[in-house]
Amino acid sequence: MTSTNPTAKDRVVIFDTTLRDGEQCPGATMTFEEKLAVADLLDTMGVDIIEAGYPAASNGDFEAVSEIARRMKNAVVAGLARTAQNDIDRAGEAVRNARRPRIHTFVSTSPVHMKYKLQKSPDEVLAMSIASVTRARNFVDDVEWSAEDGTRTEIDFLCRCVEAVIKAGATTVNIPDTVGYTTPDEYRALFRTVRERVPNSDKAVFSVHCHNDLGMAVANSLAGVEGGARQIECTINGIGERAGNAALEEVVMAMRVRADVYGYETGIDSTMLTRASKLVAAATSFPVQYNKAIVGRNAFAHESGIHQDGMLKHTQTYEIMEPQTVGVTKTSLVMGKHSGRAAFRSKLEEMGYRLSDNQLQDAFARFKDLADRKKVVYDEDIEALVDENIATAHDRVRLVSLTVIAGTRGPQRATLRLDIDGQKVTEEADGNGPVDAVFNAIKALVPHEAVLELYQVHAVTEGTDAQAEVSVRLSSDGRSVTSRGADPDTLVASAKAYLGALNKLIAGTSRMHAQHAAE
C-alpha cells in the first residue's frame, strides 16, 4: 500500500475521543478532575481536536466539557450531539467559551439502524441530518457530521447525505466503522467513492472513526486516510466500547515509522505517548496489556537469547523505533530507600509522569514506605504506586489500617479502619476466606448493594516480596466501574482496589443526585 503522494507529507489531524467514546468503555468512567488532567495532557502533546464529552448526557458531562473548553490553549474542543434540538443546544452552550469550538452531530444511516434503532425512513434521516447541521451552525462555524454505521450504509444514500450536510454547512464529514465490520480495502474504496461521487466533497474534511471488533481499527484508519480522509478519530490505549477504538499511539507511530509508505504527518509530540498512556490507564483503572503495541510494558523488552544477542550488536536488529521517541527510557532500577525527593522527581519524569507538588509529596511518602518494606524497588513498583496515587486523589473513603487473621482453622477475620470524609471508623468482620472477610468489613462500614464482577491478582515484579496488583470491578444500578490497588500485602491491595471502585460508584451516585436536584 502506498499513499497517493508519499513525497509530499500531507497533514493528518488527530481527533482524540478518549474522554467521550473512550469513557463509554464499561467501567472506565473518569472523575471531573481526571478528565481535566487528561485533556490538559492531550492539548500539550499536540492533539488537534479533543472530543470532551456528550453535554446532553448529564450535568456532569456538560460541566466537564465546559471547563475543558475554557482551559484548552490550542486544541479544538468538540461536544457530541444527536440530531435532537436539545442535544445541539447543550453542545453549543458547553463549547461556547472554547477558543476553537466544534459541535459533532451524528445520526444512523444504515438500513438496520434506521429500521430498528431510529424507526425512521431514509428521507426522514436525511432531513434530520440537514436540520441538525443547520442548527449547529447557529452556534459554531466548525460542525462535524457523522453517519453512524457508515460502513454498512447503502452507498447511494450515504452520498446523498454527505452532499446535503456539506451544503448545510458541515466542515467535517465522518464515515465511521461503528461496529468494526469493514476491511482496509473496503474502507479505502468507500472514501474514494464518496469523494468522487459527491460534487461538493472538496468543501469538507473527511474523517475515519474505526472500532476494533475484528482487530483492524488501526489498519482501517490508515486505509481510510489513503482513500482521502485527513482526520483520524482515536483514543489513548485504544479504549472504547466493546473491543475499543483505533489507538492514537499506534496510528501516530505507524505514520511516523513508515513515512516511506504513508507519507503523512501529524502534530503529535510522540515523546509524550507513554505519559498519556499511563495517565489514562491510571484514571480509568484499565491496565494496558503487556504486549500492547507502542506503550505496552513489553513493547521494548527482549527476553529471547537470540533477540538479546542481536540487540547487543545493533538495536535495529529487533527494534524498528527508538524507545525514547515514544517517551520510554531504558533505565531499570536506580531507586532505593536512600534516594531523595529530587532523584525521585527525576525518576518519575524519566518514566513519563508529571505530578503536582502535592501529588509528588504523597507519592514520595508512599515510595519511602515501600522502599523500607521491599529489598528492591523496580520501575514497575514506582509505576504502580504513582498510578494508585493519581486514581485515589479525590476519594472520600480511604484505607487507614487493616489486620487479618487467616489460616486453615478459621474463621477468617478482618479488622478494618477507614477514613470516611475525614472521620475514622473501625469494623470487624468474618468471611469465607480472608478476602471475603475484608470485603465484608468494608460493606459494614460503607453499606452498598454493588455486585463484585471481577477480582484479579497479579504480581507487579518478581520475588516473594513483589507488590500484588489487584483489579476489582463492581456494578450497581446498571453502572460498572473498575479500580486497581497495589501493595506488597495482597489483602491490603485487595482492600485498596475494592475501595477505589466503591469511591467511583459513590462519586457517580452523587453526580446523579445533583442532576436530579437541579431538574
Side-chain angles (χ1 to χ4, degrees):
M1 295 185 300
T2 58
S3 68
T4 54
N5 186 3
T7 57
K9 289 192 175 181
D10 290 345
R11 180 75 151 79
V12 173
V13 299
I14 298 298
F15 177 113
D16 183 276
T17 185
T18 302
L19 297 173
R20 200 278 300 171
D21 203 341
E23 204 202 14
Q24 290 176 207
C25 180
T29 302
M30 287 178 262
T31 66
F32 180 80
E33 292 79 10
E34 288 166 344
K35 287 184 179 181
L36 296 185
V38 171
D40 285 341
L41 185 53
L42 294 176
D43 193 36
T44 303
M45 71 187 286
V47 166
D48 298 286
I49 303 104
I50 298 172
E51 187 165 54
Y54 178 15
S58 69
N59 286 339
D61 241 30
F62 177 85
E63 291 167 4
V65 175
S66 298
E67 183 58 28
I68 290 169
R70 280 190 287 268
R71 289 166 66 107
M72 297 304 98
K73 296 180 174 61
N74 304 303
V76 172
V77 177
L80 184 70
R82 294 169 300 183
T83 55
Q85 291 186 5
N86 180 65
D87 278 34
I88 301 290
D89 295 350
R90 287 290 277 176
E93 177 66 19
V95 301
R96 68 184 180 89
N97 290 318
R99 294 188 180 189
R100 301 167 65 196
R102 173 182 292 191
I103 293 176
H104 178 195
T105 182
F106 71 98
V107 67
S108 296
T109 55
S110 69
V112 65
H113 273 225
M114 289 190 292
K115 180 178 180 179
Y116 295 107
K117 178 185 173 183
L118 296 182
Q119 297 180 335
K120 300 286 187 182
S121 69
D123 286 342
E124 287 175 309
V125 168
L126 178 61
M128 292 162 61
S129 299
I130 295 170
S132 64
V133 170
T134 302
R135 191 174 187 88
R137 281 300 300 259
N138 291 331
F139 293 94
V140 296
D141 294 330
D142 186 359
V143 176
E144 176 173 342
W145 175 83
S146 285
E148 186 178 12
D149 205 18
T151 53
R152 295 193 297 174
T153 297
E154 294 176 342
I155 189 65
D156 290 343
F157 181 61
L158 181 60
C159 289
R160 281 180 64 201
C161 288
V162 171
E163 182 178 355
V165 296
I166 294 175
K167 185 176 180 180
T171 50
T172 299
V173 171
N174 178 38
I175 307 176
D177 186 28
T178 304
V179 292
Y181 178 74
T182 197
T183 66
D185 287 345
E186 289 176 345
Y187 207 45
R188 185 188 304 106
L190 174 62
F191 280 93
R192 286 177 177 167
T193 300
V194 171
R195 292 177 64 245
E196 288 170 0
R197 288 182 51 176
V198 173
N200 57 356
S201 63
D202 60 328
K203 301 295 193 297
V205 173
F206 281 78
S207 176
V208 298
H209 180 118
C210 298
H211 281 264
N212 205 38
D213 298 72
L214 293 178
M216 294 189 285
V218 170
N220 285 335
S221 296
L222 295 171
V225 171
E226 288 184 313
R230 287 298 179 267
Q231 174 177 290
I232 296 178
E233 304 190 7
C234 46
T235 62
I236 299 296
N237 296 337
I239 66 170
E241 292 187 276
R242 303 184 314 280
N245 292 275
L248 181 150
E249 59 277 3
E250 293 179 26
V251 295
V252 167
M253 292 310 294
M255 286 186 283
R256 175 169 176 164
V257 173
R258 294 311 311 273
D260 59 319
V261 173
Y262 292 113
Y264 311 120
E265 63 182 4
T266 72
I268 300 295
D269 179 354
S270 67
T271 64
M272 299 180 71
L273 291 174
T274 295
R275 192 191 319 172
S277 171
K278 291 179 187 296
L279 177 60
V280 171
T284 59
S285 293
F286 264 54
V288 177
Q289 66 191 67
Y290 284 8
N291 63 331
K292 167 76 171 64
I294 313 300
V295 293
R297 184 180 296 179
N298 290 348
F300 297 96
H302 306 272
E303 186 171 332
S304 159
I306 295 174
H307 285 214
Q308 289 176 343
D309 179 65
M311 284 294 295
L312 290 172
K313 292 173 179 175
H314 198 290
T315 57
Q316 290 184 7
T317 54
Y318 288 102
E319 284 186 354
I320 61 172
M321 65 192 103
E322 295 180 351
Q324 293 83 357
T325 62
V326 298
V328 174
T329 64
K330 290 189 175 181
T331 55
S332 116
L333 166 75
V334 293
M335 302 300 294
K337 65 180 180 179
H338 299 297
S339 300
R341 186 176 285 98
F344 183 66
R345 182 193 291 273
S346 176
K347 178 65 175 176
L348 291 180
E349 291 178 354
E350 286 179 7
M351 295 174 65
Y353 290 104
R354 298 290 189 276
L355 302 185
S356 67
D357 289 341
N358 288 339
Q359 287 177 319
L360 178 68
Q361 178 62 32
D362 191 22
F364 183 66
R366 294 186 188 212
F367 161 71
K368 296 294 275 189
D369 177 61
L370 182 63
D372 283 336
R373 299 166 65 190
K374 287 198 71 194
K375 296 176 183 176
V376 179
V377 180
Y378 294 91
D379 287 1
E380 292 85 353
D381 291 315
I382 297 174
E383 179 180 308
L385 71 87
V386 174
D387 285 351
E388 181 184 317
N389 182 56
I390 293 170
T392 62
H394 301 281
D395 284 357
R396 291 175 55 190
V397 183
R398 297 173 180 270
L399 177 67
V400 176
S401 64
L402 174 66
T403 302
V404 179
I405 299 174
T408 57
R409 297 193 175 185
Q412 288 73 36
R413 171 166 285 266
T415 303
L416 179 72
R417 187 168 176 80
L418 300 180
D419 181 321
I420 304 177
D421 291 330
Q423 299 293 318
K424 303 292 194 302
V425 290
T426 304
E427 183 63 63
E428 291 187 357
D430 294 336
N432 183 22
V435 174
D436 189 47
V438 171
F439 291 175
N440 286 341
I442 293 174
K443 192 167 185 178
L445 289 173
V446 188
H448 62 275
E449 299 300 324
V451 176
L452 179 65
E453 293 185 332
L454 171 72
Y455 174 77
Q456 194 171 63
V457 183
H458 77 268
V460 173
T461 57
E462 70 272 14
T464 55
D465 65 346
Q467 284 199 96
E469 186 171 73
V470 176
S471 296
V472 163
R473 182 164 66 237
L474 296 178
S475 66
S476 178
D477 297 327
R479 295 183 65 238
S480 181
V481 298
T482 305
S483 186
R484 291 183 291 169
D487 195 89
D489 188 313
T490 304
L491 297 174
V492 173
S494 301
K496 289 179 176 179
Y498 195 99
L499 288 171
L502 202 53
N503 273 292
K504 289 186 177 182
L505 285 177
I506 292 170
T509 301
S510 298
R511 285 196 298 269
M512 284 190 292
H513 287 166
Q515 180 181 351
H516 291 324
E519 293 171 349

